Amino acid sequence: MKLTIFHLYPEAMNLYGDLGNILTLVKRCQWRGIDVEVSNIKVGDKADFNQADLIFLGGGQDRGQSIIAPDLLRKGSQIKEAVDNGAVSLTICGGYQLFGKYFRTAEGTEIKGIEVFDAYTVAGNRRLIGNVIVEAGNWASGQNQEKLVGFENHSGKTILLNDLSPLGTVVKGFGNDGEGKTEGAVYKNAFGTYLHGSLLPKNPWFADYLILKGLKRKHLEIEGLDELDDTLEMDANVAAQKRAMTAKTTYI
Amino acid sequence: MRKFLAVLKAKTSVSIIRLFKVGGGSTFPGLLAEKIDPQIITKLSSKLKYGSIIITGTNGKTTTSKMISDILTKAGYEVVSNRAGSNMTRGVASSLIEKSSWMGTKIDGDIGVFEIDEATMAYAVKKIKPKAILVTNLFRDQLDRYGELDKTAKIIKDSFSDANKTQIILNADDPLVASMGQDVNASYYGLDDSNIVATSEAAMDSKDCLRCGAELVFKQRYFGHSGIYSCPNCGFARPKPKNIAFNISLSPEATFMQLRLHSDAIGVSINLPGLFNVYNVLAAASLTHWLGVDKKIISESINAFQAAFGRMEKITIGKKHMLILLVKNPTGFNQVLRSITSDDTKKTVAILLNDNFADGTDVSWIWDSELELLKNRTGRIFVGGIRAQDMALRLKYAGLNMSFVKIIKEEEKVIDESLDSLPDGQTLYVMPTYTAMLKIRNMLTSQGLVKGFWEGQ
């Protein structure tokens, strides 16, 4: 059994510990004896997204986003097709924005996205920074855990359109648009969020959820994953939640 | 009258604060004085006969500033500096007030050496009107506070517009810093040593040309995004520096190098490890050489240099030693990890991760640091601080044997227990973030093991 991860633009888009997310996916597979392969996809590379079980795109600075955006657009229809056929994707911050329709920068330039999510992002006039707790949406019902904890730092405000579901509801923090109600987006197995921190190490249940969904793409017969000792992971999760509740959230 | 009142009130607060040990008294008096007289910094710093120098950048500000102050002091200058580590402008105001007469008409000093936080540059340059600005490097650091690296570069570059006759001294090897040299009176320093080669792609914060956005081509990479580079698209390339370090020899305890400062050549050695310190030495030597300090004085001061607290300072407690290595961003953390794992012996290590404002409230940077380097190089690892669990988790995913990792939240207890477990004659390697370092410092100060904040270094 093997999980194939496509890591998009690991050099241009790795701002806040995104490597920690990849490391978590890799280790949690290896600890269970599941083979895992990470393909790094750079600007200009040809990639067959039918092969991808899990697509990851992290955050980047505005400059990083403009550099990769044209290449991402060229790959856009392939990625959308893969997502529609059940591929899992996790996109964070800048990557999440580019999986929407467009990102309008503070200067008014529109960077076109690949429209996996029926959402758009506009630059806000303040940065939304701090620890976040999110209560996961309906997609997570049946999971043992339903809280996600992470750190957000963005000035873009993401607006979800029509009936696109958010990843969850903000318990603490700013979320998609600073109004503090919804966070992230979910379409089929595509998950977008502003949470880094890194996200997956402290939310092992979500990491496992993604791994299982990814494996199911080629191995429909799988029902669940072997249990791991997540004591330390959940200690860190609880500590981060406490910090989120007590620390002042700031914006600059 | 306004200035008198500002100085008087602030001076009183210096003594009161110290009396009650509220802190080092290194920012509060300045805060007060600036409120009473917003021009206080300009008024007092203009009394410095030889003007002021500003040092900014992500890493190396404190060490470089201290080296510059040491060299200038040895050269006969009377230095006013904010070296207690308060690098916002109120720290500058405090240091000026401390050295000024009660009426603020005279100042006890003739040159200012100020380390300034990147985000405060616009305001500081306007107020201080420096004769020279030194920019050390720009790495990912506390992005949660300042937004993103490109914006920090722009803030610094924009601050130069208020300093048109100022000498700008830049690190040529850091493309983000070197690209600030356009349209200003700039000179450069950099390494010229083909034996120094980066081994990892990690912590490469900036790979693209800041002027046109194309990916830079590196002919040689020293560490992070520092090296010899050029842009294939717009032609921007590493400026050829007139001040260089070469024949560099690194070991876990000391560093030797030769410097060429324009036509002058000197050899120096320092009791500090790591390539970062080569840059600190070169930066301090370049600036003081520009000021006209004799090369002999420069080399003697550098050879005699003692590190600032937490910057690779070695403390002896009974028969045990402790080396405190401040960590605050992936590039710096990797340098520290690299230097302590550069030999085969198994080290006892304490890592303290806080997420207060001064540390950076976002701890995700530990996932961009190569904790994997500690594999097979450590005995026991003690983990502490507000986000101890995050650090322990990082170690787990780095593949370390967790039965040797112990979590103790309170900083002081971590030091106590790790020193207890340390055999005589050995060194404990402590890697704290900023506020954890202050706690350790307070603890050691109260035990009389190190001097207080304000008693110089």
Side-chain angles (χ1 to χ4, degrees):
Chain A
M1 205 168 13
K2 191 170 106 177
L3 183 75
T4 303
I5 301 173
F6 277 24
H7 187 180
L8 295 178
Y9 319 114
E11 291 180 356
M13 301 287 279
N14 174 32
L15 196 52
Y16 303 109
D18 287 319
L19 289 172
N21 292 318
I22 296 291
L23 183 64
T24 304
L25 294 169
V26 169
K27 289 280 178 187
R28 296 183 72 83
C29 284
Q30 287 173 348
W31 289 334
R32 295 174 165 117
I34 300 166
D35 282 342
V36 55
E37 186 191 311
V38 181
S39 295
N40 291 331
I41 316 275
K42 294 185 199 154
V43 170
D45 285 355
K46 284 216 159 56
D48 176 9
F49 286 88
N50 286 320
Q51 301 301 315
D53 301 321
L54 201 160
I55 300 163
F56 179 83
L57 174 57
Q61 303 195 28
D62 293 356
R63 186 158 51 97
Q65 270 178 296
S66 357
I67 289 167
I68 63 126
D71 191 75
L72 183 67
L73 273 184
R74 278 191 290 274
K75 298 181 164 72
S77 60
Q78 268 206 63
I79 293 172
K80 272 184 76 167
E81 197 187 308
V83 167
D84 279 327
N85 291 329
V88 179
S89 76
L90 176 64
T91 50
I92 295 182
C93 203
Y96 165 42
Q97 294 170 347
L98 291 181
F99 264 45
K101 287 171 176 292
Y102 60 85
F103 170 50
R104 198 190 308 132
T105 66
E107 291 79 31
T109 330
E110 263 182 29
I111 305 178
K112 248 181 98 50
I114 62 170
E115 300 189 37
V116 168
F117 297 125
D118 195 4
Y120 65 92
T121 305
V122 290
N125 46 14
R126 54 177 196 170
R127 286 195 84 79
L128 310 171
I129 301 173
N131 291 288
V132 196
I133 305 172
V134 172
E135 182 86 47
N138 288 337
W139 59 272
S141 60
Q143 299 295 309
N144 282 332
Q145 300 286 332
E146 285 167 358
K147 287 234 173 62
L148 291 165
V149 59
F151 196 96
E152 65 184 325
N153 181 353
H154 54 108
S155 56
K157 293 175 159 197
T158 299
I159 316 295
L160 310 185
L161 297 169
N162 301 318
D163 49 3
L164 180 65
S165 306
L167 180 73
T169 315
V170 175
V171 176
K172 182 82 188 182
F174 295 105
N176 276 330
D177 53 8
E179 310 292 322
K181 290 190 183 72
T182 69
E183 207 295 315
V186 185
Y187 167 73
K188 296 200 169 183
N189 289 336
F191 298 85
T193 179
Y194 278 112
L195 268 58
H196 60 267
S198 304
L199 174 66
L200 296 182
K202 278 195 290 280
N203 298 288
W205 68 271
F206 186 45
D208 286 353
Y209 181 90
L210 298 175
I211 291 171
L212 184 61
K213 286 269 180 193
L215 286 171
K216 277 192 171 169
R217 213 185 164 203
K218 286 184 203 123
H219 304 271
L220 266 174
E221 73 281 5
I222 301 182
E223 285 179 0
L225 299 172
D226 294 343
E227 268 197 36
L228 297 173
D229 177 2
D230 286 335
T231 315
L232 189 55
E233 281 83 350
M234 290 318 292
D235 280 355
N237 180 297
V238 169
Q241 283 198 42
K242 254 191 215 153
R243 198 63 181 147
M245 294 313 287
T246 54
K248 261 194 301 185
T249 35
T250 50
Y251 53 85
I252 51 174
Chain B
M1 191 59 197
R2 220 186 151 93
K3 181 172 67 182
F4 167 69
L5 206 61
V7 172
L8 184 67
K9 277 210 178 159
K11 269 202 104 83
T12 315
S13 92
V14 172
S15 4
I16 290 172
I17 284 174
R18 285 195 189 157
L19 198 62
F20 293 104
K21 291 231 174 179
V22 173
S26 49
T27 62
F28 183 70
L31 192 67
L32 196 64
E34 272 205 284
K35 278 229 164 84
I36 298 168
D37 183 355
Q39 292 306 312
I40 189 81
I41 292 180
T42 311
K43 284 177 190 165
L44 292 177
S45 65
S46 68
K47 297 199 187 309
L48 296 165
K49 195 163 140 200
Y50 300 107
S52 294
I53 308 296
I54 281 181
I55 296 104
T56 193
T58 315
N59 289 327
K61 285 192 289 284
T62 304
T63 302
T64 304
S65 302
K66 187 170 184 294
M67 278 180 187
I68 290 170
S69 296
D70 284 7
I71 295 167
L72 293 179
T73 304
K74 199 174 169 69
Y77 288 93
E78 286 193 52
V79 178
V80 178
S81 72
N82 58 334
R83 65 186 179 189
S86 307
N87 56 21
M88 308 287 183
T89 50
R90 47 187 189 264
V92 174
S94 289
S95 60
L96 285 164
I97 288 158
E98 204 186 330
K99 297 274 182 166
S100 66
S101 61
W102 284 94
M103 305 286 282
T105 50
K106 270 196 309 202
I107 190 152
D108 196 11
D110 51 24
I111 193 163
V113 175
F114 300 115
E115 65 162 286
I116 299 294
D117 194 274
E118 305 91 281
T120 322
M121 276 299 280
Y123 186 75
V125 170
K126 234 177 241 152
K127 295 282 173 185
I128 298 172
K129 305 187 195 312
K131 67 196 291 185
I133 297 172
L134 172 73
V135 188
T136 59
N137 50 57
L138 277 180
F139 288 108
R140 230 191 81 173
D141 186 22
Q142 306 183 15
L143 279 172
D144 59 320
R145 188 173 352 161
Y146 300 143
E148 296 156 354
L149 205 53
D150 292 2
K151 283 173 193 150
T152 309
K154 192 171 180 304
I155 290 170
I156 297 176
K157 170 74 180 163
D158 287 350
S159 76
F160 296 168
S161 64
D162 281 307
N164 49 19
K165 280 188 193 138
T166 302
Q167 178 70 36
I168 310 289
I169 300 174
L170 302 171
N171 178 351
D173 298 345
D174 182 333
L176 279 177
V177 172
S179 60
M180 296 173 193
Q182 212 171 20
D183 308 321
V184 294
N185 180 17
S187 68
Y188 299 90
Y189 64 89
L191 307 192
D192 188 2
D193 193 322
S194 53
N195 293 320
I196 310 275
V197 182
T199 50
S200 133
E201 285 288 318
M204 187 103 174
D205 295 328
S206 179
K207 281 166 293 248
D208 306 318
C209 178
L210 200 57
R211 294 192 185 160
C212 75
E215 191 167 340
L216 294 170
V217 176
F218 279 80
K219 196 174 115 197
Q220 189 180 352
R221 216 158 57 75
Y222 299 127
F223 65 88
H225 58 252
S226 290
I228 298 177
Y229 52 83
S230 59
C231 174
N233 183 39
C234 74
F236 169 65
R238 172 188 183 253
K240 208 171 157 48
K242 294 261 172 62
N243 302 297
I244 60 167
F246 58 106
N247 282 344
I248 298 160
S249 129
L250 302 164
S251 79
E253 297 275 313
T255 308
F256 175 83
M257 75 200 86
Q258 285 179 286
L259 303 178
R260 204 179 65 230
L261 309 166
H262 290 259
S263 55
D264 281 338
I266 50 174
V268 293
S269 68
I270 43 163
N271 60 348
L272 299 172
L275 202 53
F276 259 129
N277 284 307
V278 174
Y279 276 100
N280 293 336
V281 165
L282 179 60
S286 304
L287 188 133
T288 49
H289 187 265
W290 173 78
L291 279 170
V293 177
D294 185 76
K295 65 173 182 179
K296 196 160 164 281
I297 291 176
I298 295 176
S299 67
E300 282 173 8
S301 312
I302 291 171
N303 289 334
F305 182 75
Q306 293 291 322
F309 187 87
R311 273 76 178 182
M312 308 238 176
E313 182 186 39
K314 197 164 189 171
I315 296 160
T316 299
I317 301 166
K319 289 182 181 145
K320 300 172 182 186
H321 310 286
M322 190 159 108
L323 196 61
I324 300 175
L325 310 124
L326 174 72
V327 293
K328 51 180 187 171
N329 52 37
T331 311
F333 204 174
N334 288 347
Q335 285 280 306
V336 163
L337 291 168
R338 210 164 280 283
S339 70
I340 69 167
T341 54
S342 61
D343 62 26
D344 286 344
T345 57
K346 297 214 185 235
K347 310 286 194 302
T348 305
V349 164
I351 309 176
L352 302 159
L353 178 65
N354 278 355
D355 67 347
N356 294 313
F357 186 69
D359 304 295
T361 51
D362 180 4
V363 297
S364 64
W365 61 278
I366 64 172
W367 292 92
D368 293 318
S369 305
E370 290 178 274
L371 276 307
E372 284 79 2
L373 287 166
L374 292 176
K375 248 196 216 162
N376 305 322
R377 289 283 187 277
T378 46
R380 304 198 64 180
I381 302 181
F382 295 85
V383 181
I386 300 166
R387 298 301 287 264
Q389 291 93 341
D390 280 82
M391 182 51 80
L393 197 56
R394 176 69 189 95
L395 295 174
K396 178 178 175 181
Y397 282 83
L400 275 89
N401 182 343
M402 294 307 282
S403 56
F404 290 100
V405 176
K406 183 161 187 190
I407 301 177
I408 307 166
K409 287 215 83 169
E410 226 176 295
E411 293 92 334
E412 290 91 341
K413 279 196 189 141
V414 174
I415 301 301
D416 258 2
E417 202 167 313
S418 46
L419 278 175
D420 272 353
S421 80
L422 188 76
D424 281 352
Q426 290 200 13
T427 303
L428 170 69
Y429 294 84
V430 185
M431 290 170 266
T433 57
Y434 189 72
T435 63
M437 184 193 80
L438 292 186
K439 276 215 171 167
I440 300 170
R441 172 168 201 140
N442 282 343
M443 168 181 142
L444 297 174
T445 308
S446 67
Q447 293 173 8
L449 293 165
V450 294
K451 277 194 255 170
F453 239 153
W454 51 89
E455 297 168 40
Q457 300 293 328

